[in-house]
């Protein structure tokens, strides 16, 4: 299965994302939940940590240089509601959906099987680039991070 979209280059929701208690129907669409499943958080062990998935875009290099001395953590949450029949789908997404609140909440109709939430974290040591000009760019050419994505491939013996 895939979470995220390598072609995504914008965030179609209000910034900052409102608290869950204020979410409307637009905040709980699968497109909205997929965009909220991506996070870019600064690591600074001398301050209070930023919340997981708190920032859904990669902030500029000046900010990262000043606020992320212990690294930049890229985060990705995967959908966890399965349709109960298809092990995959042509687009590797339509057989599984996000629950209503992203990682929690009810599953959408037609996706009755709740799966464990997979949450990937990748930490980059950005401090080594502090005295260099330029920008951080994802390998797909994305400058803001909206196209961050990941794949999950089950590689274990299923009979075990």
């Amino acid at each position: 299965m895939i979470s995220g979209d390598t072609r995504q280059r914008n965030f179609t929701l209000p910034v900052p994302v409102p608290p869950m208690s204020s979410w409307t129907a637009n905040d709980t669409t699968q497109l909205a939940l997929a965009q909220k499943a991506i996070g870019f958080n600064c690591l600074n062990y001398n301050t209070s940590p930023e919340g997981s998935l708190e920032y859904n875009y990669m902030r500029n290099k000046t900010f990262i240089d000043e606020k992320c001395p212990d690294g930049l953590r890229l985060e990705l949450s995967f959908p966890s509601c399965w349709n109960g029949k298809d092990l995959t789908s042509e687009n590797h997404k339509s057989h599984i959906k996000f629950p209503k609140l992203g990682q929690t909440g009810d599953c959408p109709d037609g996706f009755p099987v709740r799966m464990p939430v997979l949450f990937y974290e990748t930490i980059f040591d950005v401090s080594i680039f502090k005295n260099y000009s330029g920008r951080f760019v994802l390998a797909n050419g994305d400058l803001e991070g909206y196209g961050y994505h990941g794949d999950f491939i089950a590689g274990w013996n299923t009979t075990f």
Side-chain angles (χ1 to χ4, degrees):
M1 77 178 145
I2 296 173
S3 189
D5 182 349
T6 190
R7 298 174 306 256
Q8 184 83 25
R9 291 297 184 270
N10 63 344
F11 192 73
T12 62
L13 304 166
V15 176
V17 173
M20 283 185 193
S21 60
S22 302
W23 282 10
T24 66
N26 289 338
D27 290 298
T28 60
T29 66
Q30 288 298 305
L31 176 61
L33 295 169
Q35 290 180 70
K36 294 174 192 177
I38 296 168
F40 297 85
N41 290 335
C42 283
L43 299 177
N44 183 341
Y45 300 135
N46 294 318
T47 64
S48 297
E50 296 179 344
S52 296
L53 304 175
E54 185 173 348
Y55 295 94
N56 308 105
Y57 59 93
M58 185 166 43
R59 289 162 286 178
N60 67 48
K61 186 171 183 312
T62 302
F63 182 91
I64 292 171
D65 286 347
E66 292 174 11
K67 305 291 185 181
C68 308
D70 298 306
L72 179 65
R73 185 178 68 212
L74 282 64
E75 304 162 335
L76 182 62
S77 184
F78 282 79
S80 58
C81 296
W82 177 42
N83 69 10
K85 57 185 178 205
D86 300 311
L87 296 180
T88 190
S89 54
E90 190 171 317
N91 66 0
H92 307 293
K93 292 182 175 187
S94 59
H95 67 295
I96 194 156
K97 301 284 184 195
F98 287 97
K100 186 175 181 178
L101 299 177
Q103 292 180 336
T104 62
D106 296 333
C107 286
D109 290 340
F111 294 82
V113 181
R114 188 55 178 259
M115 305 294 287
V117 174
L118 295 177
F119 187 72
Y120 288 1
E121 296 176 293
T122 306
I123 298 173
F124 290 97
D125 180 3
V126 292
S127 66
I128 60 176
F129 302 105
K130 186 173 183 175
N131 295 318
Y132 293 93
S133 61
R135 303 182 71 155
F136 291 108
V137 181
L138 297 182
N140 61 1
D142 186 356
L143 300 171
E144 284 82 25
Y146 301 122
Y148 186 56
H149 65 284
D151 302 0
F152 171 78
I153 300 170
W156 53 77
N157 181 340
T158 55
T159 59
F160 179 72

